[in-house]
Amino acid sequence: MLTGILESLTAAALAAEPVRQGSGGGGAAQVGPWWAVLIPALPLLSFVLCGACAMLRVKGKLPAWITVAALAGSFAATVALYMDLFAGGHGAVVAITHSFDWINFRWGPGAGERFVADFAFYLDSLTVLWMLFVTGLGTLIALYASEYMAGDVGKGYARFFAAFSLFVFSMACLVMADNLLLLYLGWEGVGLCSYLLIGYFYTKPSAVAAAKKAFIVNRIGDLFLALGIMLTFVHFGSVEYAVVFERAAPYLALLEAGRPGDVPAIVQLIPLLLMVGAFGKSAQFPLYVWLPDAMEGPTPVSALIHAATMVTAGVFLICRTYGLFVLSEWALPTVAWIGTVTALLAATIGMAQFDIKRIMAYSTVSQLGYMFAGLGVLTSTGAAFHVVTHAFFKALLFLCCGAVMHGFAGQLDLRRLSGVARMPGWTIVGIGMLVGCLNLAGFPLTAGFFSKDMILAEAFTNPTNGFFWVGMILLLTAGLTAYYTFRVFFRVFVGPKHYEPGDEAHGAGDLDDGTHHDSDVAAADAAAAEEATAAEAALAAKGAAHEAGHDGHGQDGHGHDGHGHDGHGRDGRGDFHPHPPGWAINGVLAVLALCSLAASGLYFLGDHGGWVGGMIDRSSAAFASPFAHDANIGAGHAAVGAGSDGVGGIHAGDAHVAGTFFGFDPHAVMYYVSGVVGIAGIAVAYVLHLAGRTTAATSRADRLLPMLGPIARAAQRKWYVDEFYDFVVRRPLLVIAHLFHLVDQFLVDGLVNLAGWMPRGVGRLIRPSQSGELHGYAAGMAGGIAVLLIIVLLVAT
């Protein structure tokens, strides 16, 4: 059963394909191609050059073109690495490219008394898979940002692209590292870049607060990751993957022999610590609260960092160390349940929001939960496939929302926009949004449909740890996802034409310069709370009046204004005209839409799991579940390839009995079940948000709000999780901080100040007696004699 994972985890140690010929010829062998260093080096060079542009106060788009060129070169190097190592049908290739000696010291002659962490890269199929979409999407989003950030051309423009390039370099270090310490360097690097880019608009208090929140919440997970790395070195004597995987092999052999209880507790603790680190970076419950607020950053940041790449770092960490996770009885079941809870919780919140970008943020949290659930139910292939498909369609969705925000002066409230796809110049945005929504909703035959299906089927197939209910909750979440996804599409992109500019309409009808185009979601919480009947009625009346006055107008995209409708601008002007996106934004959206559609074809390339499955099967994330594709579902037949009785917390006596979906093979029936659930969610959204809708402000769904009562308000308030953390964590810490401040001020500083004051006080008291005046000394002597006489008289009597 564990043959595949044993082979992949020990490939470097056993040298299954140990060397690849170097370019120098002569038969000299090297572990990996030297030019693999270009993948992280080019973004680092771009960071330096953009920093130079900022210092030289370069005006123009040179920083953008430097970044696009560097990331395109990095992507080309990644494709070349794939062609060199994996395209020829090689097996489990593990190549290590050494860049330079980083940390290497010894404090004794014995084993485990040396610490080695070189700046070297572990090149297996998992590395290449991740870097293909990191660099590919990075290139496309940088091109998108060249137009989107045009309003900040100058020092701010260069600063943005410098941080953008530094992020890709840090992500490359995280993914390509050949040891846990270099991974941690990249881990902290992407956290730093996230902080810099979320707080890009540093004069805006909400952006600064969101950046600090992201940084602080991530520190919690980072602490546990650091502890996990330390414990790995303490037990295995190394942080290098090749060494750790080799020394973990005996414990995997114990699982093969059906003796999971013989795995030491310290080995089972390591993945639990790594798991919390993954939860922080990938925004899982209870550490997910930073991600929705991260939407304060520019939309290209949201698309690259907070949808497609950085937030998948936690998934990558578990994939990279999957051989350690299966050694723990509790790690993977916990991952599965936390992912499931996160997916459902975030979906219920996303249903109740009105800010379309924030809805996509909660959708990201929910889909990350799907990925973690996939890892937990023993389908690393399904989780990785969903990472790949999600990277494309969620980046597409965020960038479509960004195009809307860019063209409508920051407007993101779905109650103030309608029929955008039917306006001139917005066709590509509308089509891109439809493609992204179909994928996110899991519409049959889309890439999102296939990747979700793999996770759902494996949840029902795996009968242990109550994973049947994991599958049921994920099915429910799939329906909710389809609903809230098309709630956005039906409200904003189709239906009656209507628009109102956002807060960034400064009274100018031409916003082509894009100045401060990304104030994003400063008032999102307030907007989410506006569900009262009176407010909705006012919006409905306003929308009805608008439609009545503009029916048949606006076919040129400008007829919505100029009829005295002073609600179109915060400054009271009615001359605002939205501007459609230019070639860079439209071009990127078109490419991403095509990639999202083409990604479904990956499912059919190869055996089970498609092309992604083939890549995972040759990496450290390879795992053959004892329940996958059982030929006799529910009949007590041992799983295909099973050679052990337990993996982690999965132990089923002498045979692995696969679960069913109400008596059916989950892998055969889930195509139809998940397809029906997705279509049902879309149908509900159509009935409640498009059918019969005549205004942008209201829909049939508004009639349900009074019926839901406090449930709707609680969902709009994000189930009061932030308020709970504020009450339970932030305020007590603030009180404790003030108490310690008082202790420090009056006790610690007071004692120090007292010690300093006493000599001065004594000196001040005796100073008059040392005035240098003779009559003063005489008076003092006389007074002293008088005191002595009084004492003598009192004693004598």
Side-chain angles (χ1 to χ4, degrees):
M1 177 188 62
L2 291 178
T3 301
I5 194 170
L6 280 168
E7 288 179 354
S8 60
L9 292 177
T10 59
L14 299 178
E17 289 190 33
V19 294
R20 303 191 63 79
Q21 293 298 322
S23 57
Q30 61 183 15
V31 175
W34 66 268
W35 45 264
V37 177
L38 293 175
I39 298 174
L42 288 174
L44 181 61
L45 176 63
S46 175
F47 165 70
V48 173
L49 294 178
C50 289
C53 289
M55 290 187 292
L56 297 174
R57 301 180 183 276
V58 172
K59 302 295 183 181
K61 294 186 176 183
L62 180 61
W65 304 133
I66 291 173
T67 303
V68 171
L71 297 188
S74 183
F75 175 67
T78 306
V79 172
L81 185 64
Y82 168 74
M83 299 299 293
D84 182 51
L85 296 179
F86 305 106
H90 296 294
V93 178
V94 176
I96 297 179
T97 296
H98 184 274
S99 179
F100 59 87
D101 293 338
W102 184 27
I103 300 175
N104 190 335
F105 62 91
R106 180 185 292 276
W107 59 92
E113 295 183 332
R114 182 185 180 190
F115 188 87
V116 178
D118 292 330
F119 212 94
F121 306 119
Y122 189 90
L123 308 177
D124 68 347
S125 54
L126 181 67
T127 302
V128 174
L129 173 66
W130 236 263
M131 288 310 301
L132 279 172
F133 70 79
V134 168
T135 56
L137 283 173
T139 304
L140 290 173
I141 296 173
L143 178 60
Y144 176 101
S146 67
E147 177 184 335
Y148 190 88
M149 302 299 295
D152 290 339
V153 165
K155 190 173 182 179
Y157 196 74
R159 174 168 58 88
F160 172 85
F161 282 100
F164 194 101
S165 301
L166 183 61
F167 165 78
V168 179
F169 166 73
S170 300
M171 194 69 191
C173 290
L174 188 159
V175 172
M176 300 176 66
D178 92 320
N179 60 81
L180 286 167
L181 193 62
L182 183 55
L183 175 142
Y184 192 75
L185 174 68
W187 192 275
E188 292 300 307
V190 296
L192 169 65
C193 296
S194 177
Y195 170 79
L196 294 174
L197 290 169
I198 294 172
Y200 174 77
F201 300 109
Y202 57 86
T203 59
K204 182 179 170 186
S206 58
V208 174
K212 290 192 295 184
K213 184 176 183 179
F215 196 80
I216 292 170
V217 173
N218 271 275
R219 295 289 69 74
I220 300 172
D222 296 353
L223 171 62
F224 282 87
L225 175 59
L227 293 174
I229 295 173
M230 295 174 192
L231 196 59
T232 299
F233 177 76
V234 167
H235 184 77
F236 293 106
S238 177
V239 294
E240 295 177 288
Y241 294 140
V243 178
V244 172
F245 294 160
E246 178 186 6
R247 295 175 182 175
Y251 301 123
L252 292 168
L254 290 176
L255 297 184
E256 286 282 356
R259 297 160 53 193
D262 292 343
V263 179
I266 189 173
V267 176
Q268 299 198 42
L269 179 59
I270 291 172
L272 292 174
L273 295 173
L274 299 178
M275 174 187 71
V276 180
F279 288 165
K281 193 66 72 182
S282 292
Q284 295 298 285
F285 181 84
L287 302 178
Y288 73 93
V289 292
W290 67 270
L291 182 57
D293 289 355
M295 297 304 105
E296 289 288 346
T299 294
V301 174
S302 303
L304 178 68
I305 297 183
H306 304 124
T309 56
M310 188 194 85
V311 290
T312 66
V315 181
F316 174 82
L317 174 64
I318 297 179
C319 285
R320 173 60 76 206
T321 58
Y322 208 63
L324 299 180
F325 272 79
V326 299
L327 296 175
S328 174
E329 183 178 1
W330 303 104
L332 288 178
T334 303
V335 168
W337 278 105
I338 289 294
T340 302
V341 170
T342 304
L344 178 61
L345 179 68
T348 59
I349 297 175
M351 292 173 59
Q353 303 303 304
F354 297 107
D355 185 295
I356 60 175
K357 192 175 172 186
R358 187 167 288 255
I359 293 171
M360 294 305 154
Y362 279 106
S363 170
T364 298
V365 176
S366 182
Q367 297 307 299
L368 287 167
Y370 257 93
M371 300 169 199
F372 276 84
L375 291 170
V377 300
L378 305 182
T379 174
S380 54
T381 295
F385 191 22
H386 200 51
V387 167
V388 174
T389 60
H390 178 267
F392 286 104
F393 69 71
K394 185 53 67 68
L396 175 62
L397 288 169
F398 266 112
L399 295 182
C400 286
C401 292
V404 171
M405 178 168 46
H406 186 255
F408 290 89
Q411 183 60 266
L412 287 170
D413 193 327
L414 58 79
R415 299 166 298 183
R416 293 173 171 84
L417 292 170
S418 183
V420 171
R422 297 168 51 227
M423 298 178 187
W426 292 91
T427 303
I428 294 178
V429 178
I431 294 174
M433 192 72 183
L434 176 60
V435 170
C437 288
L438 288 172
N439 275 273
L440 180 55
F443 191 81
L445 302 182
T446 60
F449 166 76
F450 289 118
S451 57
K452 281 185 181 181
D453 176 80
M454 294 175 67
I455 296 172
L456 289 167
E458 200 65 31
F460 288 108
T461 303
N462 191 329
T464 60
N465 299 296
F467 286 161
F468 173 85
W469 294 108
V470 166
M472 293 300 294
I473 295 173
L474 291 179
L475 262 182
L476 172 62
T477 303
L480 300 180
T481 302
Y483 166 77
Y484 70 69
T485 301
F486 273 86
R487 170 177 176 253
V488 172
F489 183 78
F490 290 146
R491 292 293 292 263
V492 175
F493 291 89
V494 294
K497 292 183 182 180
H498 174 85
Y499 65 84
E500 300 174 31
D503 293 332
E504 292 155 17
H506 300 297
D510 183 6
L511 296 181
D512 287 339
D513 62 352
T515 303
H516 300 301
H517 50 263
D518 211 343
S519 65
D520 287 285
V521 290
D525 290 337
E530 290 183 8
E531 55 84 26
T533 304
E536 296 292 352
L539 284 170
K542 182 177 174 181
H546 176 82
E547 291 299 318
H550 295 84
D551 186 28
H553 298 283
Q555 297 304 312
D556 58 352
H558 304 291
H560 296 286
D561 302 294
H563 290 272
H565 194 302
D566 60 1
H568 280 184
R570 298 297 181 182
D571 56 0
R573 293 173 60 113
D575 58 353
F576 172 82
H577 302 298
H579 62 96
W583 70 267
I585 291 179
N586 277 332
V588 170
L589 294 181
V591 171
L592 282 176
L594 292 174
C595 290
S596 298
L597 292 172
S600 60
L602 298 177
Y603 184 77
F604 301 99
L605 297 178
D607 298 327
H608 174 64
W611 178 79
V612 174
M615 297 290 283
I616 293 297
D617 288 344
R618 292 179 284 178
S619 74
S620 63
F623 184 76
S625 170
F627 307 104
H629 295 287
D630 194 307
N632 296 283
I633 299 296
H637 183 70
V640 174
S644 70
D645 296 321
V647 179
I650 301 170
H651 185 69
D654 296 327
H656 296 282
V657 181
T660 68
F661 182 76
F662 299 102
F664 296 95
D665 179 355
H667 286 283
V669 75
M670 199 50 57
Y671 294 107
Y672 309 102
V673 175
S674 61
V676 169
V677 169
I679 293 174
I682 296 173
V684 172
Y686 172 83
V687 171
L688 294 180
H689 295 282
L690 182 59
R693 183 164 61 87
T694 58
T695 69
T698 60
S699 66
R700 291 177 178 174
D702 299 325
R703 304 171 189 172
L704 302 178
L705 290 176
M707 299 171 56
L708 296 174
I711 296 177
R713 286 192 295 272
Q716 289 170 348
R717 295 287 187 178
K718 300 163 287 185
W719 301 112
Y720 301 100
V721 174
D722 283 299
E723 289 80 358
F724 175 78
Y725 285 166
D726 182 73
F727 181 76
V728 173
V729 178
R730 179 180 172 274
R731 291 184 182 275
L733 288 177
L734 192 62
V735 171
I736 293 172
H738 281 297
L739 290 176
F740 277 107
H741 168 70
L742 295 175
V743 170
D744 183 69
Q745 181 179 6
F746 293 106
L747 183 59
V748 179
D749 287 349
L751 290 174
V752 174
N753 293 336
L754 179 63
W757 176 86
M758 286 182 64
R760 294 201 306 271
V762 173
R764 191 175 292 114
L765 289 174
I766 66 175
R767 186 179 299 136
S769 64
Q770 304 297 320
S771 63
E773 298 176 354
L774 293 178
H775 62 273
Y777 293 154
M781 293 173 62
I785 292 172
V787 171
L788 290 175
L789 290 175
I790 293 173
I791 293 174
V792 170
L793 291 174
L794 291 175
V795 172
T797 56

